Each structure stands twice: as structure tokens, then as C-alpha cells.
Amino acid sequence: MDKFYVPSWDDIESAVIEVGRTLLLDGFVPDVLVAIATGGLIPAKLLSDLLDVNSIREVEAKFYKSVGVTGSKPVIRSAHLDGIENRKVLVVDDVSDSGETLNAVVNLVSMFSPKAVKTATLYVKPWARTVPDYYHSKIDRWIVFPWDKWAVVRENPSVDVANIEKFKQINELLRSLH
Ligand code: 5GP
Ligand code: MG
Ligand code: MG
């Protein structure tokens, strides 16, 4: 089995639409999205436009150093959470793996006295200890998103993604300038 799962933009769009539909069928219409940067930024933007939510806040968290390799716990590097008091908040990330990142961000968001907090990701790993309230599907491999594929390819040049030759040229140019 392939070590990586590489969803297309079309797969991402389908996943976002499914997550949005599930939220609405559950009667949860968020007032504010909290994106977990950086991987959750684009899913949060897509969901905000789909659901006509005009308020996005952001928490920057870092856990994985490279494919499958974590630090000891997720580190919150910055948080912009103004105006979420007494609001229905949806925390959005691209994927929940162990669930530690979602836990850390939900704990932080809860300190700002929101009316409600729910979580959504596009994908979840089958072993996640914290499963988001809403997600599209379970994937048991490392997911290479359209928005982080160059970071993965830089360390794993054999991953099969579109435009890899153009990336390698840019990467060589970059190195020659360092
Ligand atoms: P957790 O804290 O649930 O173990 O990991 C979640 C965070 O790590 C997410 O913010 C996500 O950006 C990153 N992450 C975990 N698994 C994957 C994966 O398979 N692919 C990518 N691209 N990021 C992942
Ligand atoms: Mg992330
Ligand atoms: Mg704009």
C-alpha cells in the first residue's frame, strides 16, 4: 500500500462540501470559524464561503516536524481569538491524527467563553483519540494536501505529485542563492 494519500483539489472540494452539509443537517450554523494554521487555513476559507460565515479567527499550532514525526506536544505559537465570546465557534483543521492539536485548540478557545465549540476536519486517522464532531472520511496514511505538498516533496522527493519537475527546478534555484 502506498505510504501517502494525495487528494486532488476536486477531492478537497467534495470533502469541504460534505462537511458543510453534515454541519447544516446537524443544525449547527457557526458564527465564527477558528482556523488551525497553517493546514486549516484553506479548509476554513472554503467552509466560510460555502456556509456564508464572515468571521475567521486563527490559532497557529505546530506539532509535526516532518512526515509522522512529532514534538512532545503541540505548541501554540500565536492566537487571534478576539470577538468569539458568546459565539458559536467551529474549530477547523485539515486532519486530526492523534487529536492532540484539536484538544489544545479547543481548550484555548473554551477560555474565551464561546456559546458553543465544535470541531471539523476534512480527514481523520482511524487511531485518533479525539475524533472531530464533523469530518469527511478516515484515512490511514500520511495525507499530502495540495497546500503542503512542496514541504513533503522537499524531504521525500519520490512522492508522486503533479508539477514535481517544476518544483525541483525552483528548489535548485533557491539552494543556489543561499
Ligand atoms: P494531531 O495533533 O491530531 O496528531 O495532528 C494534527 C495536526 O498535524 C494537523 O494540524 C495537521 O496539520 C498535522 N497532520 C497530522 N497528520 C497529518 C497528515 O497525514 N498530513 C498532513 N499534511 N498533516 C498532518
Ligand atoms: Mg496543522
Ligand atoms: Mg479578500
Side-chain angles (χ1 to χ4, degrees), residues 28 40 51 65 84 116 118 124 150:
F28 188 74
L51 301 178
K65 296 172 173 159
I84 69 167
K118 298 233 186 207
V124 62
W150 300 136

Side-chain angles (χ1 to χ4, degrees), residues 27-34 84-91 106 109-119 133-134:
F28 188 74
V29 183
D31 304 309
V32 185
L33 303 186
V34 171
I84 69 167
E85 188 179 326
N86 213 26
R87 299 274 171 199
K88 284 188 276 174
V89 174
L90 182 70
V91 174
V106 166
V109 164
S110 300
M111 293 177 192
F112 288 74
S113 307
K115 187 186 284 174
V117 190
K118 298 233 186 207
T119 55
D133 296 299
Y134 309 101

Side-chain angles (χ1 to χ4, degrees), residues 62-73 77 142 151 155:
K62 180 87 181 166
F63 193 15
Y64 289 76
K65 296 172 173 159
S66 61
V67 168
V69 182
T70 66
S72 58
K73 58 180 168 43
R77 293 171 152 180
W142 190 263
E155 290 185 25

